[in-house]
Amino acid sequence: MSLSFSPSGRMLLTTSEDMTAFIWNVPSGNTWPKAPHVTFKGHPDYVCGGTFLGSDANVITASFEGSIRIWRSVDGVQTANYHSLWVGHLFAYFY
């Protein structure tokens, strides 16, 4: 599981072992939303990491089995899908 704030600080990306990732709107007060703003589904194994790609517009996530996906942060649409065996090896090393 990982956490990553957007460059603007208005969104938080979380990844999970349930094969999903989420974007949460960061509140201006003390109360966090009960549901995520966007849910990313499509990885076939747990999502071990993710971050925003230079702006708030896109995120990249990586799964333990080696898939790397790029998503639009506004609506959760997947825009690219890559595969590398190195992803799983790197996360296995660090975990």
Side-chain angles (χ1 to χ4, degrees), residues 62-79:
S63 178
F64 188 73
E65 90 337 310
S67 66
I68 302 165
R69 297 172 188 241
I70 298 175
W71 317 79
R72 288 195 315 232
S73 58
V74 67
D75 57 10
V77 171
Q78 181 182 306
T79 59

Side-chain angles (χ1 to χ4, degrees), residues 4 18 24-25 30 36 39 49-52 64 75 78 83 87 89 95:
S4 178
D18 70 356
W24 301 85
N25 288 325
N30 295 352
T39 300
T51 192
F52 286 83
F64 188 73
D75 57 10
Q78 181 182 306
H83 194 271
V87 173
H89 293 296
Y95 283 105

